[in-house]
Structure formats: structure tokens, C-alpha cells
Amino acid sequence: MVAAVQCSSTFGDVEGNRRKLTALVEEAAAHGAKIVVLPEAAITGYLSQDLRTTWRLEGWPIDAAFTGKDPLPFAEPVPGPSTRHFADLAKRLGIYVTIPFVEIDDPGRGATERRFFNTVCLASPMGEIVAHYRKLTPWPVPEQSWATPGDRGIQCVDTEFGRVGLAICYDVHTILDRYDDSKLWALLYPIAWVDDAHPTEWFGRELPSRVARHRIWLVGANWSVDGPEPWFGYGFSEIVSPRGEVVAHARTLYGSEIVYATIPTATISTATIPTATVPTATIDRR
């Protein structure tokens, strides 16, 4: 069984977010999940829930819609407190879990040499960090003010269930092609989606259609908010099959929800699964 955890984060409350995520991971494991995916930058916070505050480095450009907050007191290295915490948790629970946060590269460097990445690591049931992925294509609107494009390429890990890869949100526009030669079983996909309109079309048709063209499973964990906000994109966490079928999806937009699915392991080859044309799934959570 796999699980996509949908939840909100409090911007900059690393310890509070870590406690919330720990409880949700424990809940997912108690229900039988062996692979648990958390939302984008959920430990550190990606944006404030009102979309008014983003991270910003001094001297970096920032969109006029945002107020900037220095990520230095909140970002963590690899290894660091959050990677150690969730690696220990994965070992205790005997699961794989993604660890999404704002990473600082070598905090001992001078301010002009520090780099910050939108990062997700993968912890194994052995309590080891088995993948360290930095978002290759930061979303320009809120991330131009702090995020360096990833320099570690794609990341693949062979698990007892199949080969998994990592990607983060905006990466989806380019990264599926990069994984084509990797023979993935599943893409573990933390998300913090923002849209101009209710994103039924994206999550109900466009994303599943893209997944179908590459014939992989996708476990997409999107963020939520604590209450209604005057923007779109939160909610809609989903698990998509290699045929482009949405086999499980979130029923709510607010608060915390865990989306579960029992899916075939890679011992059942996806090579014989025909590519879908346009999925017909309709998802409308208002």
C-alpha cells in the first residue's frame, strides 16, 4: 500500500510542522502504508497559506505580490535534524517516507556562497537516506527569490516494490521525459499547487494523461490549507495508475487527509500496459 499525505504547513514553523507530519506518517503506517509521500517543502513551509509570504535571499528579485522572509534560520542541511528525524521514524515504522524541506547547502560558507534548494529526500526502512533530490525546475513566480535549480539530476531507488523516482511539483512539466530510460515503477511526487482556477482539469485529466504516456504509477501528495483561501490549487492529492486512471484521490480541500491505494508491485510488468489516450476521470472538490 502507498499513501499520499495531504496537509497544511505553517510557514517557518519547522518543529510544529515536523510534529504534525510525524503523526500523519504514523497514521499512514498504522493503516498499512509502506511508502508515504508528504507535500512539497512541508517541513519548512513552501508559501504562507494566504500566498503573501515567500522565502527571499537578500538582493534576489521577488514578485510584487510577495513579502520576503529570510530562509536562513529555517533551512536545513543534508544530513540534518529533519533527515535524521524522519530516517529514524522510517526505521521504527519499517517504511519508506519522503522528507520535503528547504535545504541549505553548506551552512558554513559565507553568505554570498550559500545555496538554498527545494529538496526532497527518501528514507528507507533501514533508517537510511537512499535518495537526495533537489528540484530541477523551481517555479519562477515564488521561487525566483531564493531557490537554486537542482544540481543532482534525477534520483532513482530500487525498493522491494519496484524502482521509484523523485520529483517536485513544477518539475512535472519536464521531468517525466528524463525518467523514461530509468524504467520507473512509481514517481513519488510532493506538490504545492497554485492555479488561476479550480484545478479539476489539471488533476482530473491533464496530469493523469501525462502519467499514462510514460506508463508509471504516480503518488502525488499536495498541500492543503486550514480554511478557505481566495486562491486555487490546494487539495487534489491523488494516486494515478500507468493507464492514467485516478485510483484514489482526496475528498477534502482543507486540513489533513491521507489518500491510500494498494497497487501492484513491479513484479507485475508495466511493459504490457497499453498507453491511455485521454483519461476520463473527473475530480471536482469544491
Side-chain angles (χ1 to χ4, degrees):
M1 181 184 288
V2 297
V5 172
Q6 179 173 290
C7 69
S8 63
S9 293
T10 300
F11 194 68
D13 184 6
V14 174
E15 290 194 10
N17 293 333
R18 203 155 48 207
R19 285 193 299 272
K20 174 191 279 190
L21 293 165
T22 296
L24 289 165
V25 171
E26 290 173 334
E27 180 181 344
H31 282 80
K34 296 300 182 184
I35 298 176
V36 180
V37 181
L38 304 177
E40 179 178 9
I43 295 169
T44 321
Y46 179 66
L47 286 166
S48 61
Q49 292 186 37
D50 59 9
L51 296 193
R52 294 179 180 176
T53 308
T54 187
W55 304 111
R56 189 195 186 186
L57 304 177
E58 184 177 356
W60 285 46
I62 188 169
D63 189 279
F66 298 116
T67 297
K69 187 179 185 74
D70 185 359
L72 182 59
F74 310 96
E76 300 181 33
V78 177
S82 288
T83 56
R84 286 191 289 267
H85 172 85
F86 284 98
D88 290 344
L89 181 65
K91 183 176 183 179
R92 174 166 63 84
L93 299 174
I95 64 170
Y96 292 89
V97 63
T98 64
I99 311 169
F101 62 103
V102 174
E103 177 193 356
I104 183 170
D105 179 47
D106 192 356
R109 292 181 182 176
T112 59
E113 297 182 32
R114 293 189 190 112
R115 299 184 301 168
F116 294 83
F117 295 97
N118 189 334
T119 289
V120 60
C121 293
L122 182 65
S124 78
M126 300 298 292
E128 300 171 341
I129 299 300
V130 292
H132 174 190
Y133 174 78
R134 291 167 169 168
K135 190 175 185 179
L136 292 173
T137 50
W139 183 32
V141 179
E143 293 182 65
Q144 65 176 320
S145 58
W146 66 273
T148 297
D151 58 357
R152 299 179 60 83
I154 61 174
Q155 295 283 305
C156 298
V157 178
D158 287 318
T159 76
E160 57 267 46
F161 310 108
R163 178 172 293 174
V164 300
L166 299 173
I168 302 174
C169 203
Y170 197 71
D171 281 328
V172 77
H173 297 295
T174 56
I175 204 167
L176 294 174
D177 290 337
R178 300 191 190 201
Y179 274 118
D180 270 345
D181 294 333
S182 301
K183 301 186 186 307
L184 287 189
W185 165 64
L187 186 69
L188 310 184
Y189 183 47
I191 314 167
W193 202 255
V194 178
D195 216 324
D196 293 329
H198 210 260
T200 302
E201 178 68 18
W202 172 257
F203 286 104
R205 294 178 60 87
E206 179 60 29
L207 180 58
S209 179
R210 294 188 186 203
V211 171
R213 290 196 292 270
H214 296 271
R215 295 191 292 183
I216 60 174
W217 288 92
L218 180 139
V219 185
N222 195 21
W223 64 353
S224 72
V225 289
D226 293 329
E229 293 287 348
W231 56 275
F232 301 98
Y234 49 86
F236 293 89
S237 296
E238 62 187 20
I239 298 166
V240 183
S241 82
R243 292 189 176 92
E245 301 161 337
V246 179
V247 299
H249 62 80
R251 304 286 178 179
T252 60
L253 297 175
Y254 315 115
S256 300
E257 181 180 354
I258 304 175
V259 179
Y260 299 97
T262 299
I263 65 177
T265 67
T267 56
I268 301 174
S269 174
T270 58
T272 59
I273 297 176
T275 302
T277 51
V278 179
T280 57
T282 300
I283 305 173
D284 189 359
R285 275 148 279 160
R286 299 184 183 277

